[in-house]
Amino acid sequence: MNQTDSAGSQESRSPGHPEPDAAFDLRRVGAHPDFWYPVARSRAVRRGRTVAAVFAGERIALFRTRSGIVHALEDRCAHRQVPLSMGVVEGETLRCCYHAWAYRGDGRISQIPYLSKGDRRPPRGVRGYPVREAYGLVFVFPGDPEKAAVTDLPDLPAYGSPRYSTMTFSRTVRCHYSFMHENLLDMNHQFLHRGVVGTLHPELLGYTTTPRSVEARYLFTHAGGKRNRGAGLLAAEGLGGRDSADVMTIRTEYPYQTLDLVPEGADHPAFRLWAVYVPEDAEQRVCHAYGLLMIEKPKVPGALRLAWPLIRRFTERVFAEDRMAVEAEQRAWDEQGEDRNHEVFPLILDVRSVLRGNGVPLGAATPVCGTAAAGCAPPAAAHRPYAGDRPAYGGPGVEFPAVDGG
């Protein structure tokens, strides 16, 4: 087994692959805000309606104006701090439900209805976030607004392609986002899914690492046991089913993650997954997973629609098992107050370095890690064990809409 295809893999960590104690606990590193993050599905933000969203403890009010444009504002009225997500959309403005202060899409106050022309007014309104819609999602840029114009949205060529149909998913997971990256990249956990996929043998063919990314290639072979029918349909095995050796490529390109599966003998993916894990609370112990599962349409018209319920049930069950595991990891971290993992897989040690090197230490006002995959030097205050009000275990389930397209 080749552990790496690039010398860069070795440069991103110290000899011996030390765990976070030698640098800084990854679970105390927050997601860097200078990227585009989805905070809602587009269809949830209806014309003339408001939606409450959040990024890492920052409450955000989304609203769609009469002209159809979506805006994102700090979710508080500058007057009495009442959430603007409780407000009313009037034309192109958002009016607070309490004293009817009206805000433009950039957060500036457009009207205080009970003041006369000469009365004193606040010097400014509330923060407005750069916002864009793409792939059926509403993205906001929670970091430096000047960087929004020069920071690209993720590029997803399969989305909207006539070759693929897309399943959009949106789900809450009660763990630090880094656990999700590790879970998808480390395919050695297939024993967890033995009741769904049977006995799968993943062979790491190789991987590459850069300061911002880790990409791994696995060869998957089915070694026995009962395999869920939805798994075969998702891998384009057809209604009859057949065993095959599939190549899976998984990539963390900070802060996003992708997965492509190419069946044996094929020259393009049977499905492509794009995902991002958006922190919700300030302590970043809860994240919201948004993803797009783009599945190749079979040659038989309408066959994918018939297979959709089976694929849906399969993905629901696999995710439920993954969520069970990563939430258990988070609970262990909370109870122990530190990361006591004894990781031995070089690939995961590399992705931890990437996540740590590109993130922002929790409690820091400004990034101190930069973008190089190197150890952070966080302020001492950021080392305190988590003592926040973590929400109770459990939470919303998986949301799977109908297929978008034929």
Side-chain angles (χ1 to χ4, degrees):
M1 177 183 71
N2 294 327
Q3 289 186 340
T4 176
D5 292 333
S6 168
S9 223
Q10 304 300 324
E11 296 171 0
S12 66
R13 57 186 186 271
S14 302
H17 310 299
E19 280 296 274
D21 289 344
F24 183 56
D25 191 340
L26 174 58
R27 320 310 174 185
R28 293 190 174 99
V29 175
H32 201 298
D34 285 343
F35 292 91
W36 290 99
Y37 291 92
V39 293
R41 298 189 61 188
S42 288
R43 72 179 192 181
V45 190
R46 301 176 183 175
R47 196 182 301 262
R49 300 288 296 274
T50 62
V51 171
V54 66
F55 175 85
E58 296 182 23
R59 293 188 296 113
I60 300 170
L62 304 174
F63 69 102
R64 191 182 296 276
T65 66
R66 180 172 53 197
S67 63
I69 299 174
V70 175
H71 297 286
L73 302 181
E74 187 179 1
D75 195 7
R76 65 173 188 88
C77 179
H79 179 213
R80 297 285 185 89
Q81 315 304 306
V82 172
L84 288 176
S85 58
M86 296 169 59
V88 177
V89 181
E90 292 186 353
E92 302 302 303
T93 63
L94 175 59
R95 194 176 291 279
C96 177
C97 69
Y98 197 11
H99 291 83
W101 287 28
Y103 295 85
R104 299 185 178 93
D106 59 4
R108 290 184 298 173
I109 299 170
S110 65
Q111 184 193 32
I112 301 175
Y114 50 86
L115 292 187
S116 301
K117 186 175 182 180
D119 290 339
R120 181 181 177 184
R121 296 168 180 268
R124 60 181 62 86
V126 297
R127 177 183 179 184
Y129 293 85
V131 59
R132 294 176 67 179
E133 286 190 88
Y135 314 124
L137 301 171
V138 177
F139 289 79
V140 300
F141 197 87
D144 182 352
E146 294 184 359
K147 296 180 180 179
V150 296
T151 303
D152 294 331
L153 286 168
D155 183 25
L156 307 178
Y159 185 91
S161 165
R163 169 173 271 177
Y164 292 90
S165 289
T166 300
M167 175 187 291
T168 301
F169 61 86
S170 168
R171 53 189 78 168
T172 297
V173 190
R174 301 192 181 281
C175 74
H176 190 264
Y177 62 89
S178 61
F179 288 115
M180 299 295 289
H181 281 270
E182 294 176 14
N183 172 266
L184 191 62
L185 264 174
D186 190 350
M187 281 293 157
N188 294 306
H189 76 274
Q190 295 310 305
F191 184 75
L192 177 68
H193 305 308
R194 61 195 180 277
V196 190
V197 296
T199 303
L200 277 183
H201 175 63
E203 177 187 353
L204 182 63
L205 300 177
Y207 71 94
T208 58
T209 300
T210 74
R212 271 199 56 197
S213 68
V214 176
E215 180 176 288
R217 292 179 296 109
Y218 291 90
L219 177 67
F220 271 83
T221 53
H222 186 231
K226 186 176 181 180
R227 189 175 185 181
N228 183 279
R229 194 71 213 99
L233 293 170
L234 187 59
E237 293 179 359
L239 294 174
R242 58 180 174 82
D243 286 337
S244 64
D246 306 323
V247 175
M248 183 176 290
T249 302
I250 310 166
R251 182 179 181 85
T252 286
E253 177 78 29
Y254 192 89
Y256 312 119
Q257 202 164 35
T258 60
L259 183 154
D260 292 349
L261 184 135
V262 179
E264 185 177 20
D267 59 1
H268 59 272
F271 70 85
R272 313 189 75 172
L273 171 69
W274 173 87
V276 62
Y277 318 111
V278 183
E280 292 191 344
D281 57 319
E283 297 287 348
Q284 302 201 18
R285 299 291 172 260
V286 178
C287 67
H288 200 97
Y290 290 93
L292 302 168
L293 181 61
M294 294 156 278
I295 307 170
E296 185 183 26
K297 299 176 183 178
K299 294 180 181 180
V300 179
L304 183 57
R305 286 190 177 274
L306 294 176
W308 205 258
L310 294 173
I311 295 174
R312 170 181 172 172
R313 284 195 292 271
F314 166 70
T315 53
E316 285 178 335
R317 183 169 174 185
V318 168
F319 177 75
E321 292 173 347
D322 284 334
R323 182 168 60 182
M324 174 191 67
V326 295
E327 290 185 344
E329 288 187 280
Q330 181 62 63
R331 291 196 303 276
W333 191 99
D334 290 338
E335 292 165 1
Q336 296 162 2
E338 61 182 357
D339 194 341
R340 296 186 183 177
N341 287 349
H342 294 283
E343 185 54 61
V344 296
F345 197 21
L347 171 64
I348 297 305
L349 294 170
D350 270 12
V351 78
R352 288 181 179 181
S353 292
V354 168
L355 296 174
R356 192 182 302 116
N358 288 277
V360 183
L362 292 172
T366 56
V368 299
C369 294
T371 57
C376 300
H383 287 266
R384 66 184 184 277
Y386 168 59
D389 295 324
R390 185 169 62 88
Y393 175 60
V398 181
E399 174 190 349
F400 281 94
V403 59
D404 302 328

